[in-house]
Structure formats: structure tokens, C-alpha cells
């Protein structure tokens, strides 16, 4: 036990060092934490009494990382307004559909071009289609863009993407793992997942008065215990209905987003979100073996290029359709580009089903590149927009349009 506590302490020191360096460089801490985790882990050397392999503490670090995902998505749900979602529903449904369909079709085409069998191709398409809600949420917070006009559409699109993920996992689980041995069983599990999500939307829309009464607790200590207890219960219960824990946390946050206590919850949960969120990205890095990545380099780079193209195009189409400027529209595509925890979940489904061995190194490399490139593109979106504007002459077209109107 003492050794485990010491290993966790060493891990936290590494997380702190990576965070300080990222802060000094004024960069998102996410890629730093992933890289540090990747550089230590099971294949790192042991230096004296300091064991950087984290063998004994691997499970506890992984568990703390899972808690980080729950807090990140719970906070994201709190930031989301169901009323605004309903008001801007058509834009979100249109944008989310364009985003998912474009990425999924690109993924299908890529899988077939690479000569992969049908199930492997479906898994690749699923991996390319799901953005990292956790990384996108962290990027929006880090870059202080939660108040930007286009952020509402970004959150709506990744929520739509999460709904697609739940449906996709339900269908693929039935096909690959035999959990549902018949078409009827697969359809039933899908309908249960969708129905579960709709319950939270209804609670957020109609149940606010009841939630306000239940959360009318004066003591911060008792208040946060009640909220966290409900959060973990809902997240855990979600899995019994084939809905990911992370999505359960997101939906619970969404249900509380319209209550009178939402800002109080945000204030109290923020330190937990930052601390456990950092451990999530570090623990993800620990699972990547750098020596296993060589055989999948070109395949991963091709998928990354397709993802960048699909995201920028989808963001521009969704943003312009919703009435945003070219600059805001380019922000959308560049912000939702990161891939992370959900892509790994889709890959693990294929690995568990015994599909082609290339999926594991491919998924690790693909996620690592986009986990680094995604936040970087979001941070440098102004410069990227200026380059795109020089190519496509968007500002000149707007000026001509204004002169024509005059």
C-alpha cells in the first residue's frame, strides 16, 4: 500500500511538472500530459526507489482518470442549456448530421481503400466519427471560449455526436460481441439508450421546479455530497442500460443546467474537474506503448488528414448554415477536431471482438496525433483562418456582397 501511495505521488508530481511547463509556454496542458504519460508507463526504467512504470498503481491511476472524464463531462453538461438547444435545435441537428455523416463516410471509404474487412472498416469509420468531448470541453475552458457565439453550436454538435456514439456502440456491440443475438434484441437495446437520453431532456425541460426544491441545501458540504452522490449513481446506472458512464454524467449535468443552483455547482465542481481531468489525460498516455506504433504510422497519418478535411468542411457548412461568419465557422471545425477517450472506446470494442491487430496501434497513434493537433488547431484558429481566407477570399466576397446590397 505504501508503495502504491508513493507511485501515485510520483505520478502527481509528473502531472504537476507537465502542467507548469504547459503554463509557462501558454499552451493547453492536454498534449503535455499525454506525452508524459506515454514516456513513462510500463516500459519506462526504474530509477532507484522511483518506479516510473506505475505497475502497482496502474489500476488506481486509471480509476482516477475515469473520475476525471465524469467531472469533465458533468461540467460540460452544466454549461449546456436545454432551452437554448431547443431554440437552436434545427441548426444543431443539421450541423451534427453533417459532421457525423461526413466523417463516417470518409472513414468507410478509407477502410475499404486500405483493404480492411467489413467489421474492421465499420470500427475505423466509428473511430473517425467521434470527437473527444473531454478534450473539446477542456479546450473551450482553457481558451476561455465558453461565451463565444459559436460555442453553443459546437456543444450541440458534440452532444449530437455523443448520441450517435451511443447508438453506434449499441449496434456494433450487438453485431460483434453477440450481446444481442437477434435483430430485435439489437433494436431494443438501441431504443432503450435513446429513451434514457430523452428522459434527461424531459427532466431538464419540465423537472426544474422539483430539482430546485431538492437542491435547496444551505450547507456547501452537504450540497456537494448530495450532488456527487447523484452524479456517480447516474453515471454507474447508465452502463446497465448500455449507455457510457461519461454520457450519463453529461446528461446529468444537462438535467441540472436549468436549475437555480447550476452556477453554485459549477463553482464547487471546478477544482475536481481540473485535478481529475489532468489525471485522465496522464492515465491515457500511460496506456500507449511507443514501441508498438511503428507499423501503423502511415495509416494513422492518412486518417488524420481525412479527419482534418472532414472537420473543417463540416464546421464551415454547419456554421454558415446557422448564420455565423466564416471566421466563427472555421472555429467550429478546428475546435471539434480532437479525438480521445471515445475513439479508444470504439477501438477497444473491435479489439475485444478479435478484429485485425492493426486497430490497437492505429487507434493509439491516431488519437495521440489528434489529441495534440486538435487543441493546437483550436488555439491557432485565428492564424489558420487568415491562411484559409487568403485562399478562398471570404472577406472580399463579403465586401462585394455588401456593396451589391448598397
Amino acid at each position: 500500500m505504501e508503495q502504491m501511495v508513493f507511485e501515485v505521488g510520483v505520478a502527481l508530481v509528473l502531472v504537476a511538472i507537465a502542467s507548469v511547463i504547459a503554463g509557462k509556454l501558454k499552451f493547453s496542458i492536454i498534449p503535455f500530459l499525454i506525452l508524459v504519460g506515454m514516456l513513462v508507463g510500463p516500459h519506462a526504467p526504474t530509477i532507484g526507489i522511483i518506479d516510473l512504470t506505475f505497475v502497482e498503481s496502474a489500476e488506481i491511476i486509471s480509476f482516477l482518470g475515469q473520475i476525471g472524464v465524469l467531472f469533465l463531462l458533468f461540467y460540460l453538461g452544466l454549461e449546456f442549456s436545454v432551452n437554448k438547444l431547443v431554440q437552436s435545435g434545427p441548426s444543431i441537428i443539421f450541423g451534427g448530421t453533417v459532421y457525423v455523416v461526413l466523417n463516417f463516410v470518409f472513414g468507410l471509404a478509407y477502410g475499404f481503400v486500405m483493404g480492411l474487412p467489413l467489421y474492421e472498416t465499420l470500427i475505423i469509420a466509428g473511430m473517425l466519427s467521434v470527437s473527444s468531448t473531454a478534450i473539446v470541453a477542456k479546450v473551450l475552458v482553457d481558451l476561455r471560449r465558453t461565451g463565444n457565439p459559436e460555442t453553443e453550436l459546437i456543444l450541440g454538435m458534440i452532444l449530437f455526436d455523443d448520441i450517435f456514439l451511443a447508438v453506434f456502440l449499441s449496434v456494433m456491440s450487438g453485431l460483434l460481441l453477440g450481446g444481442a443475438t437477434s435483430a430485435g434484441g439489437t433494436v431494443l437495446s438501441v431504443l432503450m439508450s435513446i429513451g434514457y437520453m430523452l428522459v434527461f431532456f424531459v427532466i431538464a425541460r419540465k423537472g426544474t421546479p422539483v430539482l430546485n426544491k431538492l437542491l435547496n441545501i444551505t450547507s456547501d458540504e452537504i450540497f456537494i455530497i448530495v450532488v456527487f452522490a447523484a452524479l456517480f449513481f447516474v453515471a454507474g446506472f447508465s452502463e446497465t442500460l448500455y449507455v457510457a458512464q461519461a454520457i450519463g454524467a453529461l446528461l446529468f449535468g444537462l438535467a441540472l443546467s436549468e436549475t437555480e443552483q447550476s452556477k453554485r455547482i459549477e463553482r464547487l465542481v471546478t477544482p475536481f474537474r481540473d485535478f481529475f481531468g489532468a489525471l485522465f489525460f496522464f492515465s491515457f498516455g500511460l496506456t500507449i506503448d511507443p514501441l508498438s506504433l511503428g507499423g501503423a504510422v502511415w495509416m494513422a497519418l492518412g486518417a488524420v488528414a481525412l479527419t482534418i478535411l472532414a472537420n473543417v468542411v463540416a464546421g464551415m457548412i454547419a456554421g454558415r448554415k446557422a448564420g455565423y461568419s466564416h471566421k466563427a465557422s472555421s472555429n467550429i471545425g478546428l475546435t471539434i477536431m480532437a479525438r480521445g477517450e471515445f475513439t479508444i472506446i470504439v477501438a477497444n470494442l473491435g479489439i475485444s471482438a478479435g478484429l485485425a491487430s492493426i486497430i490497437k496501434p492505429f487507434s493509439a497513434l491516431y488519437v495521440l496525433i489528434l489529441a495534440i493537433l486538435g487543441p493546437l488547431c483550436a488555439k491557432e484558429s485565428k492564424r489558420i483562418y487568415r491562411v484559409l481566407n487568403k485562399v478562398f477570399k471570404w472577406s472580399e466576397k463579403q465586401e462585394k456582397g455588401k456593396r451589391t446590397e448598397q
Side-chain angles (χ1 to χ4, degrees), residues 278-289:
L279 281 175
F280 161 68
F281 294 108
F282 175 75
S283 67
F284 173 68
L286 285 179
T287 64
I288 300 174
D289 176 10

Side-chain angles (χ1 to χ4, degrees), residues 32 34 37 115-116 119 135 139 162 177 200 272 288 296 319 367 378 388:
F32 284 83
I34 293 175
L116 296 174
Y119 283 159
I135 296 179
V139 166
D162 290 344
L177 303 181
F200 283 91
F272 295 90
I288 300 174
V367 168
L388 293 174

